Structure formats: structure tokens, C-alpha cells
Amino acid sequence: MKKVVIVGGGLAGLVTANALARAGIAAKVIEKKTYPFHRVCGEYISNETVPYLKSLGLFPEEFSPAPISRFQLTSVHGKSAVLPLDIGGFGISRYSYDQFLYQKAKVNGVDFLLNTEVDSIRFSDDEFDINTRNHHLMADVVVGAFGKRSKLDVFLNRNFIHQRSPFIGVKYHIRTNHPNDLIALHNFQNGYCGVSNIEDGKSCLCYLSHRNSLKKFGNIKLLEEEILFKNPFLKSIFLEAEFLFEKPETINEISFSVKSPVEEHVLMSGDAAGMITPLCGNGMAMAIHSAKILSALIIDFCYEKITRPEMEQRYFQQWNFLFARRLWAGRQIQKLFGSVRASNFAVNLARNAKPVAKFLISKTHGKPF
């Protein structure tokens, strides 16, 4: 049986590992942290994923995830509009869901190397040579599921890694009086903040800002007080909510540049293949869907139904067919956010041209799979 190594134990990596294990292919997952842990993420999953997750026994029903069916948009100065979400979604923390998927994978026979970071991946003579500080592995297939940015992106000399990104991400878990069925997107100068409920009566508050704003004020607390508080919805949340983290989860240099789903024969999945703008709220759904199409092709390759070139070509084509337009739409829609004029226009569009607004929202969602 061919050997499969998955570099990165996030959503895409864990779903892929579970799908392969159910087909009799035991992959090895290499993850640089130890479960459970928090990630900077909006923690909303579109319902397009539900049929597939249930087919694998991976829907987190035991956590009673928050069912989300409405979308609220506010401008920098607090104008508001609310729209229905046709397909809707559910909210669950990465802390809980990744741990759930990890435990499922262990039961299914997946092998893990935790607290381990991959230093290099080289392809030669139809196999991969993978090196960490303490391990040397060989594999027939390598899945790159290592998230938004990694030193492996530098090692593989990926194009996007040479382009500086101005975006930083910040996430909290809070307790606040937020409607269970609502995902809200609150604009502020040079950024936007998503708020939606997850499990156990908690809410996820996650925002994207420009690094120049952080540089101007020197720390996150002042950035929030001087910039985010200009939106009365955000000011109310920050002043009244109970914040559950000692300090926020943060990430720098978030890039929405075009990436390739195949690099040096490594099959990229999730954010490593391409990241949708957070305001579109579908990064987790795309990670799950990319894991579905990728695991099916790896299974065919491992059982010698297709060749490596066929596997890579089909994955490239399917990934672009399913996600390239959604990523492009997200980049265009992002231009409607993060300033007084643009956010007012977006709210007015949502209020007065609801069919147009619903059409734009639909471009960032996929169909159930």
C-alpha cells in the first residue's frame, strides 16, 4: 500500500485523514502543535458541508453547534442591514472541532506526529523525502494542509510568499447577548469583524485589520479602542462582553493572493491551496470540500486506478472549477468593506437592493456536497 503523509492537522488535513482511513489507507499526519488548541478562524461552517460530514460520521452533533440562518452587516459608523442566508451554516470552535476530528482519526487508525514541524519536502524518483528535526520519512503522496502560511511555503518558493500582506487577524471567545441564529459582520476603518455563536453559549469574535493601524497605536487594546469602537455595535460588544481568553489569538501576514493547488507534486488543501476573504465566511467549508475531492483522487491513485499525473491534473482542474471563482468573488467583495464610504454603500445595497446583495452572497457559497 502506498504511503500518504499529511503535513498539517487542521480542518483540511484531519478530514482528509479520516476519509482515507475509511477507505483503508492509513495516512500519517504531522502537526506542529498538540490538540486541543485555538486557531485564528471565524468558526462558521456553511451547511453545504453537512451531507459529506454526516457520510463520514464527522458532523459535530454532540456539541449542539449554533444553527445560523441570518446575516447582519454594519457600516463603520453603525448603519445596519440584516439578510437571510439561503443555505445557512453552523458555528463551532476550532478548539472543539479539531479535537473531535483528531479523536475520530485516531479511532480510525490514523497515525500522528504531534509537536513536530516539517523542515523540508523533496520529490525525487517518484517519491517524497520529508524531514523534521527528529524524523526522516518517505512517502508516495504528500498533502500540504499547513494553513495560511508556513515556512514550507518559503521552502517550496511559492509565489505568494514573496508578496508582503498588510493584514493581521485577531480572535477572541466571548460571552455576550448575541442571537444564536445570526452571523454579524461589523466594519471599522481598514478592517471588519465577524461575530457568531459557537458551542456552550460562547461567541467567536474574529477581526481582520491593517498592520498600519496596529503600528500607529502600538498594541491591540489601543487599536480596538481607537478604531473598532467607532462602530457602536463593536463598542457595545467590547465593553459589555465577558472575554474568555487571557490574550487574543493573532496571526500576521494573512495573504489572499492566488495560490496553486499543486506545488512540486505536493497536493495543497484548505488555506494552503487558497484562502477566501474572511468576510465571506466559507474558509472552513472550502477546506472540507477540498479534502473531499482530494481524498477521492488519492484513494484512486493508491489503488492504482489513476496515475500521479492524472491525480495532479484532475485535482488542479477540480479545485479551480469549484473554488477559483469563489476566491475571486471574495477578493472583489472585500473592496466594499473597511472604509466609511464603502461600508455605507454595502449596507445601502443590502437594504435597498436585496436581490443584488443576496446574489453577491451566493457567489461566496457552494452547493451542498
Side-chain angles (χ1 to χ4, degrees):
M1 177 60 68
K2 289 180 168 59
K3 297 178 182 178
V4 179
V5 168
I6 300 170
V7 182
L11 201 55
L14 290 169
V15 173
T16 300
N18 275 287
L20 294 178
R22 287 172 64 92
I25 299 166
K28 182 183 291 288
V29 177
I30 305 175
E31 168 54 50
K32 66 180 180 181
K33 295 184 179 181
T34 299
Y35 301 99
F37 58 92
H38 293 285
R39 299 178 187 268
V40 176
C41 176
E43 301 185 328
Y44 163 86
I45 305 180
S46 166
N47 281 337
E48 67 198 74
T49 64
V50 172
Y52 181 62
L53 292 175
K54 287 186 173 180
S55 75
L56 293 179
L58 301 180
F59 184 75
E61 192 168 4
E62 65 195 63
F63 293 94
S64 300
I68 297 169
S69 58
R70 294 186 300 144
F71 170 66
Q72 180 187 28
L73 177 66
T74 72
S75 69
V76 169
H77 290 142
K79 290 178 65 176
S80 175
V82 177
L83 292 170
L85 287 173
D86 287 342
I87 191 169
F90 60 94
I92 185 168
S93 72
R94 295 296 301 275
Y95 186 90
S96 296
Y97 196 36
D98 285 16
Q99 171 73 2
F100 170 81
L101 294 173
Y102 165 63
Q103 294 291 350
K104 289 281 189 180
K106 285 180 65 179
V107 170
N108 286 330
V110 178
D111 189 21
F112 283 84
L113 275 179
L114 302 180
N115 283 323
T116 303
E117 189 168 14
V118 173
D119 296 318
S120 65
I121 303 172
R122 293 181 173 86
F123 182 78
S124 179
D125 296 327
D126 208 36
E127 63 180 353
F128 291 92
D129 188 319
I130 305 147
N131 285 286
T132 75
R133 178 178 295 181
N134 299 313
H135 301 88
H136 173 237
L137 300 91
M138 305 299 292
D140 299 284
V141 177
V142 171
V143 174
F146 37 76
K148 299 172 181 64
R149 56 189 300 116
S150 162
K151 71 178 185 179
L152 282 176
D153 293 313
V154 178
F155 178 81
L156 294 170
N157 198 31
R158 303 184 75 188
N159 289 333
F160 84 92
I161 207 71
H162 302 293
Q163 305 166 21
R164 293 298 304 274
S165 170
F167 297 111
I168 61 169
V170 180
K171 187 188 89 168
Y172 299 94
H173 281 173
I174 61 176
R175 292 194 187 277
T176 187
N177 187 26
H178 184 82
N180 209 40
D181 66 338
L182 183 72
I183 183 167
L185 186 69
H186 302 299
N187 276 269
F188 57 87
Q189 190 64 44
N190 294 323
Y192 44 84
C193 176
V195 182
S196 57
N197 287 357
I198 50 175
E199 73 279 2
D200 298 331
K202 296 180 290 187
S203 301
C204 172
L205 184 154
C206 189
Y207 67 84
L208 191 77
S209 184
H210 198 287
R211 65 165 175 260
N212 287 345
S213 297
L214 180 60
K215 186 177 180 181
K216 178 180 179 180
F217 296 105
N219 62 65
I220 287 175
K221 187 173 187 298
L222 275 178
L223 163 67
E224 292 166 352
E225 292 175 352
E226 297 296 329
I227 299 292
L228 276 69
F229 281 25
K230 294 277 195 316
N231 184 319
F233 287 91
L234 286 174
K235 183 177 181 179
S236 175
I237 292 170
F238 272 89
L239 292 180
E240 296 175 8
E242 176 191 359
F243 281 71
L244 305 177
F245 293 167
E246 289 186 10
K247 60 180 183 178
E249 294 290 318
T250 60
I251 187 172
N252 297 314
E253 296 271 350
I254 300 174
S255 175
F256 305 110
S257 299
V258 176
K259 303 176 184 178
S260 174
V262 182
E263 295 271 10
E264 301 295 327
H265 302 283
V266 178
L267 304 167
M268 302 296 177
S269 190
D271 286 341
M275 184 177 172
I276 196 166
T277 53
L279 63 92
C280 295
N282 275 294
M284 293 174 76
M286 286 179 56
I288 294 167
H289 202 168
S290 68
K292 178 182 187 250
I293 61 173
L294 179 55
S295 57
L297 290 168
I298 292 172
I299 291 166
D300 283 349
F301 173 71
C302 287
Y303 286 110
E304 299 184 345
K305 295 179 180 179
I306 58 175
T307 65
R308 184 184 305 280
E310 288 173 330
M311 174 177 66
E312 293 178 3
Q313 182 183 29
R314 291 180 189 181
Y315 182 57
F316 186 92
Q317 291 172 339
Q318 291 180 38
W319 195 95
N320 279 289
F321 175 78
L322 289 168
F323 307 125
R325 286 183 178 273
R326 289 171 72 177
L327 294 172
W328 180 87
R331 291 193 293 271
Q332 307 317 305
I333 294 171
Q334 182 165 256
K335 297 173 185 177
L336 298 175
F337 299 86
S339 73
V340 174
R341 178 180 294 180
S343 64
N344 280 333
F345 174 79
V347 171
N348 287 333
L349 186 71
R351 282 179 171 180
N352 304 316
K354 290 186 178 180
V356 176
K358 291 177 69 175
F359 173 77
L360 292 175
I361 291 173
S362 72
K363 292 292 123 181
T364 66
H365 287 66
K367 298 183 185 300
F369 59 89

